[in-house]
């Protein structure tokens, strides 16, 4: 049983976005799909292009970078891991590589906290995105991120289920 399109997006504070999604798979499989480069290439595109780069150095201080080509345009994000508890927690920065002129990487970076919890073989993934300010948070929301995120989460579930 898949749970397509069921991620919820809430705005707990002026600087935060909370994404919550339940998966019909145990947390170790969702975590594996979330952190393994070959698997990330199967879901991160959100059916909008081809992932050409999925680099993951999964350790505190390690870097990650994902790049997708869609309609001839390259879209990239990168960041650094700040805290990792395997199968339970990942705290990392995230920077969109197409930040507008005049926006520094520090201003444009978010701090993302992903938590994986399991109940009866189902996993709840919560991603708390903390932006530098309300303007940055609203720019993320206004970018259309929710539609792409819904599709990416649906694919993430498919990938996790394929690992059974």
């Amino acid at each position: 049983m898949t749970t397509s399109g069921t991620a919820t997006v809430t705005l707990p504070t002026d600087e935060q976005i909370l994404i919550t999604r339940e998966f019909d798979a145990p947390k170790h499989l969702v975590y594996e799909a979330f952190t393994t480069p070959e698997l990330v290439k199967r879901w991160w595109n959100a059916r909008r292009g081809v992932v050409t780069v999925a680099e993951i150095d999964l350790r505190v201080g390690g870097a990650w970078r994902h790049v997708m080509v869609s309609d001839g345009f390259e879209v990239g994000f990168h960041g650094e891991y700040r805290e990792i508890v395997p199968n339970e927690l990942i705290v990392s920065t995230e920077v969109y590589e197409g930040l507008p002129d005049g926006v520094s990487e520090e201003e444009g970076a978010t701090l993302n906290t992903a938590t994986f919890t399991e109940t009866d073989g189902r996993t709840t993934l919560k991603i708390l995105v903390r932006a530098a300010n309300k303007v940055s948070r609203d720019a993320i929301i206004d970018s259309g991120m929710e539609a792409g995120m819904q599709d990416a989460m649906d694919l993430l579930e498919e990938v996790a289920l394929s690992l059974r």
Side-chain angles (χ1 to χ4, degrees), residues 95-107:
V95 178
Y96 170 55
E97 294 179 358
L99 285 172
D101 288 342
V103 177
S104 71
E105 192 165 295
E106 185 175 296
E107 290 173 305

Side-chain angles (χ1 to χ4, degrees), residues 64-80:
W64 66 270
R65 182 169 186 249
H66 302 333
V67 178
M68 172 180 70
V69 175
S70 176
D71 296 327
F73 293 98
E74 192 173 82
V75 179
F77 290 82
H78 67 269
E80 179 182 303

Side-chain angles (χ1 to χ4, degrees), residues 74-90:
E74 192 173 82
V75 179
F77 290 82
H78 67 269
E80 179 182 303
Y81 294 106
R82 300 279 176 88
E83 186 179 349
I84 297 170
V85 178
N87 299 316
E88 298 197 10
L89 173 79
I90 299 171

